[in-house]
């Protein structure tokens, strides 16, 4: 059984974006921080950072934000970039302001380009991030692809063959699974993530992707009721769908 980490309250709240340590001290002095219904009197009190801390602690009467170890799914809209630095709207701007001041910072798990919408995962847990993006994890990702021209009929066979070479690369793609929806649309499921891979795969066969949307990662689906720009925290059951090894402790 792993030991529950503890942190001084002022450091914990400062790292979660609630202000400087001095500002956290002021919140405590004003009686605005409670734990299990009782006011916390000392900002230097060590707090056990448990999974249920958000349910037990209140800051100015509101539940504490998710403590470190946060993971969420975001329905990324079109026109938004997965970056901290690029110009224009960023995915981090869709999160609460305070969350952008957290330390460790929240990062995307992989990326979707500006012109792709759909399921994007984000976390402040470096271990989780690396486990998901590791090629050894072999996590599948499914995309809804809408094309400018009708399918020619042999795409599924070529994508599944594991022999398709993209321009300027010297290693063939891993096999991918395609399911036809209509003559101009399909689902494509990949287990790797090369630069603009889906668009380049169809371009290699003489077609152009008009719209691209990711709706599934591993066993985790983008909920129909999660609209563009909205996010939802992930629980243990969600993470087990994403990485079954998390459910077994492997």
């Amino acid at each position: 059984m792993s030991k529950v980490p503890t942190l001084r309250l002022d450091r914990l709240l400062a790292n979660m974006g609630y202000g400087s340590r001095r500002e956290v001290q002021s919140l405590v002095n004003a009686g605005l921080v409670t734990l299990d219904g009782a006011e916390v009197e000392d900002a230097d009190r060590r707090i056990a950072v448990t999974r249920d801390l958000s349910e037990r602690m209140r800051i100015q009467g509101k539940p504490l934000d998710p403590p470190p170890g946060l993971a969420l799914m975001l329905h990324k809209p079109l026109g938004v970039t997965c970056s901290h630095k690029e110009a224009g709207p960023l995915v981090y701007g869709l999160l609460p302001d305070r969350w952008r001041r957290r330390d460790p910072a929240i990062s995307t798990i992989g990326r979707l380009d500006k012109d792709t919408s759909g399921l994007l995962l984000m976390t402040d847990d470096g271990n989780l991030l690396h486990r998901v993006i590791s090629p050894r994890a072999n996590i599948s990702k499914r995309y809804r692809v809408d094309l400018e021209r009708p399918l020619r009929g042999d795409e599924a066979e070529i994508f599944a063959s594991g022999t398709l070479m993209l321009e300027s690369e010297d290693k063939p793609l891993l096999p991918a699974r395609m399911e036809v929806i209509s003559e101009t649309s399909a689902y494509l499921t990949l287990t790797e993530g090369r630069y603009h891979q889906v668009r380049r795969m169809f371009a290699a066969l003489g077609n152009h992707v008009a719209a691209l949307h990711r709706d599934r990662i591993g066993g985790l689906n983008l909920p129909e009721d999660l609209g563009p720009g909205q996010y939802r925290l992930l629980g243990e059951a969600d993470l087990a769908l994403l990485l079954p090894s998390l459910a077994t402790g492997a």
Side-chain angles (χ1 to χ4, degrees), residues 74-81 91 94 113-114 116-118 228-230:
L74 172 74
H75 185 162
K76 179 194 166 299
L78 293 173
V80 179
T81 304
V91 292
L94 300 172
D113 66 45
K114 187 175 182 180
T116 301
S117 61
Q230 296 181 331

Side-chain angles (χ1 to χ4, degrees), residues 152-196:
R152 65 190 202 185
D154 60 351
E155 291 90 348
E157 181 180 356
I158 293 172
F159 293 160
S161 70
T163 61
L164 181 63
M165 295 281 292
L166 297 180
E167 184 178 354
S168 74
E169 296 199 11
D170 58 7
K171 183 180 179 181
L173 296 173
L174 295 176
R177 184 173 72 255
M178 192 183 89
E179 307 164 67
V180 176
I181 300 172
S182 72
E183 66 174 8
T184 58
S185 60
Y187 286 118
L188 186 62
T189 302
L190 314 174
T191 56
E192 57 185 340
R194 303 193 198 183
Y195 180 72
H196 287 173

Side-chain angles (χ1 to χ4, degrees), residues 11-12 14-17 68 99 101-106 124:
R11 180 181 175 187
L12 172 65
N15 287 354
M16 292 175 66
W99 289 20
R101 299 192 296 270
R102 291 172 65 110
D103 180 17
I106 297 174
D124 63 0

Side-chain angles (χ1 to χ4, degrees), residues 115-136:
D115 298 317
T116 301
S117 61
L119 177 56
L120 180 68
L121 303 178
M122 306 178 76
T123 188
D124 63 0
D125 183 340
N127 180 57
L128 174 63
L129 188 154
H130 291 297
R131 290 184 70 176
V132 174
I133 66 174
S134 170
R136 290 180 296 177

Side-chain angles (χ1 to χ4, degrees), residues 12-50:
L12 172 65
L13 297 188
N15 287 354
M16 292 175 66
Y18 281 94
S20 66
R21 290 194 183 188
R22 180 172 294 181
E23 289 169 332
V24 171
Q25 178 72 66
S26 296
L27 290 173
V28 170
N29 291 343
L32 298 176
V33 180
T34 62
L35 180 63
D36 297 327
E39 291 183 9
V40 178
E41 298 180 352
D42 299 312
D44 59 358
R45 173 179 169 181
R46 295 196 71 85
I47 301 293
V49 186
T50 56

